[in-house]
């Protein structure tokens, strides 16, 4: 989440700010403690609950970020589960900023021996912001997801 070149200077600051009696033997522990004080974040469970309750608010954060998702590193905006041939599949909406628009595609993950293998569509979404991309994805009927999945399978 941070540039590689920033790690050592941040670690130096963390070690300089550490109490003199702190001797964990692990500089990463000092770095984590320093970062927790610098950027107090909620516990993961609290954050996940908030994302589940208010996903649009988190999408606004993504949209305004200086390091918004790119074509090389898109963000998963939403996931839907659906059935195809009596098997459960996951459809992940992946999106990124492309100039003044947000683009997106669907990445499918299947069950059993297909688990971990991803089948993806081409870019099928183009909207003004990630919230609109998500709304379009959520508007698809399960039959549309099946049709997109079938178009990606060998």
């Amino acid at each position: 989440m941070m540039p590689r070149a920033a790690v050592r200077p941040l670690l130096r600051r963390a070690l300089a700010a550490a109490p003199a009696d702190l001797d964990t033997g692990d500089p990463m522990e000092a770095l984590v403690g320093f970062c927790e004080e610098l950027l107090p974040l909620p516990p993961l469970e609290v954050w996940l609950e908030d994302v589940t309750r208010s996903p649009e608010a988190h999408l606004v954060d993504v949209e305004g970020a200086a390091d918004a998702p790119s074509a090389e590193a898109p963000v998963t905006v939403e996931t839907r589960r659906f059935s195809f041939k009596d098997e459960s599949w996951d459809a992940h909406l992946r999106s990124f900023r492309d100039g003044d628009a947000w683009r997106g595609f669907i990445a499918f993950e299947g069950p059993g021996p297909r688990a971990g293998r991803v089948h993806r569509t081409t870019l099928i979404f183009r909207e003004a912001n990630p919230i609109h991309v998500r709304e379009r994805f959520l508007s698809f009927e399960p039959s549309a997801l099946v049709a997109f999945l079938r178009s990606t399978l060998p």
Side-chain angles (χ1 to χ4, degrees), residues 93-115:
L93 170 60
R94 304 244 164 91
S95 185
F96 58 92
R97 185 169 38 205
D98 183 19
D100 63 346
W102 280 78
R103 311 243 347 172
F105 61 90
I106 304 172
F108 297 98
E109 287 186 87
R114 292 184 190 93

Side-chain angles (χ1 to χ4, degrees), residues 16 18 29 33 36 38 40 42 47-48 58 63 70 72 78 81 84 99 103 107 110 113 121-122 126 128 131 143:
E29 191 172 319
E36 285 175 343
L38 189 62
W47 180 82
L48 286 173
H58 291 268
E63 182 180 16
S70 65
E72 296 77 29
E78 184 70 57
R81 183 158 282 171
F84 174 63
R103 311 243 347 172
T121 65
T122 189
R126 185 180 190 285
I131 294 171
S143 60

Side-chain angles (χ1 to χ4, degrees), residues 7-19:
V7 173
R8 287 187 184 191
L10 187 61
L11 180 58
R12 280 193 293 274
R13 285 182 58 198
L15 293 173

Side-chain angles (χ1 to χ4, degrees), residues 63-143:
E63 182 180 16
D67 60 343
S70 65
E72 296 77 29
V75 65
T76 299
V77 173
E78 184 70 57
T79 297
R80 292 177 59 187
R81 183 158 282 171
F82 67 100
S83 182
F84 174 63
K85 293 187 177 180
D86 295 325
E87 294 181 315
S88 183
W89 284 77
D90 289 325
H92 306 284
L93 170 60
R94 304 244 164 91
S95 185
F96 58 92
R97 185 169 38 205
D98 183 19
D100 63 346
W102 280 78
R103 311 243 347 172
F105 61 90
I106 304 172
F108 297 98
E109 287 186 87
R114 292 184 190 93
R117 186 163 179 223
V118 175
H119 305 278
R120 64 162 277 186
T121 65
T122 189
L123 295 175
I124 57 175
F125 299 98
R126 185 180 190 285
E127 298 290 339
N129 61 55
I131 294 171
H132 291 142
V133 173
R134 180 176 176 268
E135 288 171 352
R136 288 261 328 273
F137 176 68
L138 292 175
S139 75
F140 289 159
E141 297 288 330
S143 60

